Amino acid sequence: MANAIRALAMDAVQKANSGHPGMPMGMAEIAVALWSRHYRHNPADPHWIDRDRFVLSNGHGSMLHYALLHLTGYDLSMDELRNFRQMHSKTPGHPEVDVTPGIETTTGPLGQGLANAVGMALTEKLLAAEFNRSGFDMVDHHTYAFVGDGCLMEGISHEACSLAGVLRLSKLIVLYDDNGISIDGHVAGWFGDDTPKRFEAYGWNVIPDIDGHSVAAVDAAIAQARKSDRPTLICCKTVIGKGSPNLAGTDKVHGAALGDKEIAAVRAALGWTAPPFEIPADVYAAWDARTTGSTLQAAWNQTFAAYQVQFPHEAAELQRRMRGDLPGDFAAAAEALLAACVDKQETIATRKASQNAIQALAQRLPEFLGGSADLTGSNLTNWKECVAVRADQPGNHINYGVREFGMSAIMNGIALHGGYLPFGATFLTFSDYSRNALRMAALMKIRVLFVFTHDSIGLGEDGPTHQSVEHVASLRLIPNLDNWRPCDTTESAVAWIEAIKRSTGPSTLIFSRQNLQFQQRNAAQVADIARGGYVLHDAPDARAIIIATGSEVELAMQSARDLATRGVPVRVVSMPSTDVFDRQDAAYRASVLPRGLPRVAVEAGVTDAWYKYVGLDGAVVGIDTFGESAPAGVLFKHFGFTVEKVVAAVERTLA
């Protein structure tokens, strides 16, 4: 069984002349122990609610996962393995969720798969506490992750695993491929951690010094781990490229094809006589998990049918949430929230407006799972009824600690598992720490809400280290990430509503520290906020357009009034989400930004991206330097965010 993995891995990499054969060859027995003796799954239904989750955090070894899926009976043909790393195949270079059946998360950026696994295990624990009833353990599964040295060198492994230990995620089992090799060679020269002691310090159960090439030893270690009341790290000593007579144990087998001569030598050494991409019938039979998987799921289905009878509300709610459907009354809750914003007309910070939206919507969204990276009192992501998640206390608000990257990747794992709608917050300037997890969320098209507050030089006295200048613009560069920077309570509510409704990707919600003036709108304008950009103020025979976002919309409106007194009528366009606006049809975009009118963009951030809206003949009032330490009002004046500066910019475009 193990040699089948080795053969498929080396043959697929050789055919593609690209890939990583060493890890699959080295972890083959570990995979046999887990997938044939412990892993609960059904190849016929990769989305079975109570399946175990498997994460290949060292995703460069993707052929290990593809071989396992093919051998155990998933809809992944041998032709797909032959097309490894080729255009539009189901076997891309690194595992990708929703491309290959049975893949739970997209991995490759090392350490993030491990953090995703923490999120999945946390979700299982919280869902079990919420939905299980006496005699009905409808949520009862494990999360397994394979990791390598690279995953553990990445700092995110510390962030995520430290939190996993504190929360005692006992159904998280991580198998560490301790082969001592990375791309640059033997890791002893740059990675000398005592990994078992490190994880013991996190509060993990650690099983050290397991022979990773002994199926029996790995099997026993997993069985032991399943009895622990803490997350478990199983340290498996392996030889990278096991079976290769001349390359095993070296970096040369890590990330390159072995070559025809060495592959022949491997076959001879292993006694593997089957041609490339052929598996003997008895090996297929040994791996086949379809009957066992169907039996497992059928038993669960039978129990769930009885659960539906006794607990119909809980059963329906679990199914709804695992499908990712919003409650039927969500639209009414959203409408009520918007009506309240329009009625109250509050001038408050948009971070407070955000909290008001959370408070209103949480009543209708039991799947809300909020949190903050140690800034709850500043980010305002909590609500009156929320309960903090603790090791011995299920809840719906997570104190992630100062772990921005870990928080973001854990939220990705929560979303991928299903059952909760995660959101978490930090200051916008620390989105840099989270950035690759945001990118992965966008790549995976998952619904995760990243909340960022203190969004500009308006942060004030904390100075340039905390004042975001380039961050909004840089987030707008990530494909499939919707970024919202609202200007008042109403736009903040719409941003939350649209982010929640969006099922095809993540969103950022970017809020101010300082109070922002409420803007008057009619019903049509309120409806158009959801289109990302709309006409907030118009004037007959407008001669120019001012485009603004967030805190600068108030400045744009003040400038429009000043220009009116000078006999220069202008239109003001509020654009809370350039990403959403850019997806609107051409007719709508032209109605908001008609050709022929000079344009000025105003935003307290870097200017470059705004020229796609104003053109080279337009103007941008922005900031292309770092900030200063001073009160917000002083900073806005110092950096030219004044009516005079905006008016002058408009007049220049008209000259």
Side-chain angles (χ1 to χ4, degrees):
M1 293 171 73
N3 288 342
I5 294 173
R6 293 188 171 99
L8 289 173
M10 66 182 183
D11 289 341
V13 172
Q14 182 67 26
K15 185 174 186 299
N17 195 29
S18 174
H20 300 75
M23 185 278 270
M25 296 173 73
M27 292 194 79
E29 283 85 6
I30 300 172
V32 171
L34 174 61
W35 277 63
S36 70
R37 303 190 182 185
H38 297 278
Y39 188 50
R40 295 173 65 255
H41 64 122
N42 181 8
D45 185 2
H47 301 291
W48 170 32
I49 289 176
D50 202 39
R51 68 192 182 278
D52 286 340
R53 269 61 172 180
F54 174 75
V55 175
L56 190 74
S57 189
N58 42 353
H60 55 272
S62 58
M63 266 309 303
L64 173 69
H65 206 166
Y66 299 148
L68 288 167
L69 294 170
H70 172 77
L71 291 167
T72 56
Y74 284 78
D75 183 19
L76 191 68
S77 68
M78 188 64 83
D79 283 342
E80 294 291 352
L81 271 60
R82 290 189 183 95
N83 287 327
F84 177 57
R85 289 189 166 219
Q86 304 308 301
M87 181 72 78
H88 300 145
S89 76
K90 292 183 180 180
T91 51
H94 291 80
E96 294 184 29
V97 70
D98 293 333
V99 170
T100 314
I103 299 294
E104 301 284 359
T105 179
T106 300
T107 57
L110 294 177
Q112 284 198 65
L114 175 55
N116 295 164
V118 171
M120 293 175 186
L122 174 58
T123 304
E124 191 276 343
K125 181 174 182 174
L126 295 177
L127 284 174
E130 186 174 353
F131 287 99
N132 287 354
R133 298 293 183 269
S134 178
F136 294 97
D137 290 338
M138 303 320 308
V139 181
D140 184 15
H141 54 265
H142 284 75
T143 299
Y144 298 97
F146 283 3
V147 305
D149 288 309
C151 295
L152 299 185
M153 281 188 261
E154 290 285 0
I156 192 174
S157 69
H158 166 71
E159 295 184 26
C161 294
S162 171
L163 185 61
V166 171
L167 296 178
R168 293 205 296 273
L169 303 181
S170 61
K171 290 186 178 177
L172 173 62
I173 299 175
V174 176
L175 294 109
Y176 166 34
D177 178 30
D178 183 10
N179 62 36
I181 296 292
S182 67
I183 293 174
D184 280 356
H186 290 276
V187 301
W190 50 86
F191 185 49
D193 301 12
D194 188 328
T195 297
K197 287 184 179 178
R198 171 187 164 192
F199 275 77
E200 287 173 2
Y202 292 152
W204 283 51
N205 172 43
V206 177
I207 304 175
D209 300 323
I210 297 299
D211 179 359
H213 300 300
S214 167
V215 173
V218 177
D219 173 28
I222 296 172
Q224 179 183 340
R226 289 168 60 93
K227 299 174 183 177
S228 177
D229 63 352
R230 294 175 290 164
T232 297
L233 177 73
I234 302 173
C235 301
C236 303
K237 282 288 184 181
T238 64
V239 176
I240 191 171
K242 174 77 171 176
S244 174
N246 301 301
L247 300 178
T250 74
D251 58 283
K252 292 181 174 59
V253 77
H254 173 89
L258 275 63
D260 292 334
K261 183 177 179 181
E262 186 65 15
I263 287 177
V266 173
R267 278 185 155 78
L270 298 179
W272 186 264
T273 58
F277 300 107
E278 290 188 18
I279 302 295
D282 60 332
V283 177
Y284 266 132
W287 269 114
D288 194 343
R290 289 173 293 186
T291 300
T292 301
S294 295
T295 301
L296 285 170
Q297 187 170 357
W300 185 89
N301 288 343
Q302 185 176 4
T303 305
F304 188 74
Y307 179 76
Q308 285 177 302
V309 173
Q310 291 198 38
F311 307 100
H313 170 77
E314 288 81 0
E317 182 70 2
L318 177 60
Q319 288 179 311
R320 174 189 73 79
R321 285 164 54 172
M322 291 302 293
R323 288 194 305 267
D325 296 341
L326 294 177
D329 58 357
F330 175 75
E335 185 177 342
L337 171 60
L338 286 176
C341 292
V342 173
D343 182 58
K344 291 180 180 178
Q345 301 188 17
E346 292 179 295
T347 292
I348 55 177
T350 51
R351 62 171 172 160
K352 180 60 181 175
S354 166
Q355 187 178 45
N356 292 345
I358 294 170
Q359 181 66 52
L361 297 174
Q363 315 307 311
R364 307 291 181 91
L365 288 171
E367 57 263 52
F368 252 9
L369 184 58
S372 181
D374 202 50
L375 291 167
T376 303
S378 295
N379 300 146
L380 304 182
T381 51
N382 56 340
W383 63 101
K384 291 177 183 176
E385 300 82 9
C386 72
V387 176
V389 173
R390 296 290 183 263
D392 56 356
Q393 174 180 281
N396 51 10
H397 190 275
I398 302 169
N399 298 105
Y400 285 99
V402 188
R403 301 181 177 100
E404 296 89 355
F405 190 11
M407 172 183 71
S408 301
I410 288 169
M411 288 197 296
N412 288 351
I414 292 168
L416 287 160
H417 181 285
Y420 290 104
L421 173 52
F423 63 91
T426 185
F427 289 169
L428 178 58
T429 193
F430 303 139
S431 64
D432 285 338
Y433 288 146
S434 302
R435 187 177 181 86
N436 203 261
L438 270 69
R439 181 179 185 273
M440 294 304 295
L443 177 63
M444 293 188 283
K445 302 177 182 177
I446 53 177
R447 181 159 48 192
V448 183
L449 280 57
F450 300 97
V451 179
F452 298 118
T453 67
H454 298 60
D455 68 343
S456 71
I457 58 171
L459 170 64
E461 292 86 346
D462 276 339
T465 60
H466 284 53
Q467 291 166 9
S468 298
V469 175
E470 74 278 23
H471 298 82
V472 175
S474 69
L475 291 172
R476 289 172 181 150
L477 295 175
I478 299 176
N480 198 42
L481 178 65
D482 280 1
N483 302 278
W484 290 88
R485 186 172 182 248
C487 76
D488 69 354
T489 57
T490 306
E491 285 193 359
S492 297
V494 171
W496 267 103
I497 293 165
E498 292 304 309
I500 290 167
K501 287 165 56 178
R502 186 177 189 229
S503 61
T504 56
S507 302
T508 72
L509 303 168
I510 301 169
F511 300 116
S512 72
R513 178 196 186 196
Q514 72 275 25
N515 289 347
L516 302 185
Q517 180 70 47
F518 178 82
Q519 301 297 328
Q520 297 287 343
R521 302 172 184 82
N522 59 36
Q525 289 172 311
V526 172
D528 281 343
I529 295 172
R531 306 187 77 164
Y534 64 102
V535 179
L536 176 62
H537 165 78
D538 212 354
D541 303 317
R543 296 177 56 197
I545 301 172
I546 304 175
I547 311 168
T549 76
S551 51
E552 287 67 68
V553 170
E554 181 178 339
L555 174 59
M557 293 293 287
Q558 293 170 346
S559 301
R561 288 191 287 269
D562 185 280
L563 284 161
T565 66
R566 300 166 184 254
V568 182
V570 298
R571 167 180 289 190
V572 175
V573 170
S574 177
M575 197 175 288
S577 178
T578 60
D579 311 280
V580 175
F581 180 76
D582 288 348
R583 288 202 299 271
Q584 304 305 306
D585 60 77
Y588 178 76
R589 285 183 280 116
S591 72
V592 175
L593 298 175
R595 294 181 181 275
L597 290 181
R599 304 171 187 176
V600 173
V602 186
E603 186 173 59
V606 294
T607 61
D608 283 4
W610 283 107
Y611 286 98
K612 76 174 183 176
Y613 298 106
V614 303
L616 296 180
D617 295 328
V620 182
V621 178
I623 174 172
D624 289 311
T625 66
F626 291 113
E628 298 281 353
S629 181
V634 174
L635 290 169
F636 278 113
K637 183 175 181 181
H638 172 76
F639 286 106
F641 291 94
T642 64
V643 169
E644 293 78 14
K645 180 76 175 286
V646 176
V647 167
V650 172
E651 290 177 336
R652 284 199 307 275
T653 66
L654 293 171

